Amino acid sequence: MRYDPEESAEAPLPPRRKKKRKKRRGFLEVFLHKIQKPEFILLGVWWLIMLGLVVYMADMGPLLKAIWKPLLLLMSVPIIFFGGLAYATA
């Protein structure tokens, strides 16, 4: 049995399947998926409890009541930029 190139040319190869292109997930979608993991939730709750205990033990309640407006302004800056980043990458 010798190799005959004419025989192999008659039998065409089956067509290849076209791969479906997956939609790239946005930044907000990836972030929401990550924060729903149990370890993230447990760590976040632990840090909130620790923050509450520090405020309580150091009697910082009156101080926080006095400076809550500037503190809220400082905390809003990263939140605004995060929202803009999530909107830009969606």
Side-chain angles (χ1 to χ4, degrees):
M1 299 284 293
R2 296 181 64 180
Y3 174 71
D4 190 9
E6 290 180 12
E7 277 186 27
S8 63
E10 292 173 8
L13 294 174
R16 288 186 178 182
R17 289 185 180 176
K18 293 183 180 179
K19 291 182 181 179
K20 290 185 179 180
R21 197 170 181 184
K22 290 185 179 181
K23 181 184 170 193
R24 188 171 175 231
R25 295 192 326 179
F27 174 75
L28 186 60
E29 189 177 355
V30 172
F31 180 75
L32 288 175
H33 180 71
K34 285 183 179 182
I35 66 170
Q36 289 175 354
K37 291 185 177 181
E39 59 270 16
F40 186 88
I41 295 169
L42 287 172
L43 190 63
V45 168
W46 184 79
W47 275 107
L48 285 175
I49 291 171
M50 289 296 113
L51 178 64
L53 284 173
V54 166
V55 168
Y56 174 73
M57 296 295 284
D59 288 329
M60 291 174 58
L63 175 65
L64 288 177
K65 286 181 186 174
I67 63 166
W68 72 271
K69 287 181 184 178
L71 195 61
L72 188 64
L73 177 68
L74 286 173
M75 288 172 55
S76 69
V77 171
I79 292 171
I80 290 170
F81 278 104
F82 174 73
L85 184 65
Y87 178 74
T89 58

